[in-house]
Amino acid sequence: MRMKNNMGENFKFMHVREYSGAERAHGGLFVYEKIDGGNCSVRKEDGILIPYSRSGKLTQKNLSNFYFLNFFNWTYSVPNLQNLPESKILCGEWTHYGFGHICYNPEYMDRFFLLGVFDRDIGRYLHPNEAEGFVDSLDVGKDLVRLPTLCTGNITQEKADELVGNKSSFYEGPREGIVIHKYHPKFKTGLRMEKYFNPEFREIDNSKKGIERYTTRRRLIKVAQNLKAHGKRLDFENVIGAATDDILRDIKEYKREELISGFQKPQVEDLFRQKVFPLFQNRR
């Protein structure tokens, strides 16, 4: 029987910070295309295969929400996923239609993109080489998408700009961005990740000043997606609160009250009602 581990039992996918542009050089560094989907994972609990969204376990009670039904059905449609040991969690992104997400080529929609494998026994992510071997052993390669490695070893601002400027591997448009994975035992879960966006998808507009830099359409879309994933009501008041919480994770130069005041401006509410809210009214 697997020994229980507090880190594994309380596993949640990590918050990914913005890449600052500083050079990163390390043997455990891997860079991948950023996928615009819903955060998800697959694991076993007491011998039963369970799909999870970022908000928690998926059950019959919440399958009507967001992309959950398609991901739930996929989990149980892959026979070899039943071989997943309780010690491992498959972490990924689920691509889906609507809600402001990128529409990838049809063969890459409603698909599980593998981002990593978490080992619950040791409370750490497997190194990519180990993760590849583990996924191979499950024989589920054709049922999920593995991201090609864009570069390894080091990343700079210049290289990051080059990578986000290239065409996506999964549709005819630009990459949403890149995600930098850095594996090292000193990190709490053995992995630290940073994201860097194509200018078209950035949540911060550095051409503006003050709090206005953060009141972008892409940020409003992101927090609306998170509200939807957690089953919360999508209104402007909730979006303001979620956006403020999101910014305060990374930015400490403003107080909560200042950010809320900055988002309560009429032009931001108009942006939400005209350019963001309609994206969540219809889906394919």
Side-chain angles (χ1 to χ4, degrees), residues 6-49:
N6 287 336
M7 173 66 72
E9 298 308 311
N10 298 321
F11 167 84
K12 287 187 177 180
F13 210 77
M14 70 180 70
H15 172 63
V16 182
R17 297 183 180 275
E18 294 267 357
Y19 170 56
S20 67
E23 183 174 5
R24 303 275 189 265
H26 188 269
L29 186 145
F30 297 77
V31 180
Y32 305 95
E33 178 171 345
K34 186 180 185 303
I35 298 301
D36 185 20
N39 211 215
C40 55
S41 64
V42 181
R43 64 193 80 176
K44 259 189 178 178
E45 296 175 352
D46 298 321
I48 299 172
L49 197 64

Side-chain angles (χ1 to χ4, degrees), residues 98-143:
F99 307 115
H101 284 289
I102 290 173
C103 185
Y104 293 104
N105 289 345
E107 64 270 29
Y108 294 116
M109 296 303 293
D110 285 322
R111 295 292 305 275
F112 183 89
F113 281 72
L114 182 71
L115 300 184
V117 178
F118 186 82
D119 190 313
R120 302 169 81 180
D121 285 343
I122 61 175
R124 293 181 178 275
Y125 286 90
L126 298 183
H127 184 279
N129 294 339
E130 296 176 279
E132 285 287 317
F134 171 73
V135 173
D136 286 342
S137 73
L138 288 179
D139 194 22
V140 294
K142 67 180 185 302
D143 298 297

Side-chain angles (χ1 to χ4, degrees), residues 11 56 71 117 122 147 208 228 231 234 245-246 251 281:
F11 167 84
F71 173 50
V117 178
I122 61 175
L147 292 167
K208 297 179 180 178
K228 187 74 174 173
L234 185 56
D245 291 339
D246 185 52
I251 309 297
Q281 301 312 293

Side-chain angles (χ1 to χ4, degrees), residues 185-216:
K186 71 179 181 181
F187 301 135
K188 185 176 180 180
T189 60
L191 170 64
R192 177 174 291 171
M193 296 198 296
E194 296 175 291
K195 59 188 176 183
Y196 188 68
F197 288 100
N198 178 296
E200 185 177 328
F201 297 98
R202 283 182 188 157
E203 298 163 9
I204 300 174
D205 184 351
N206 288 318
S207 69
K208 297 179 180 178
K209 296 182 179 180
I211 292 173
E212 193 177 356
R213 289 181 296 164
Y214 305 103
T215 58
T216 61

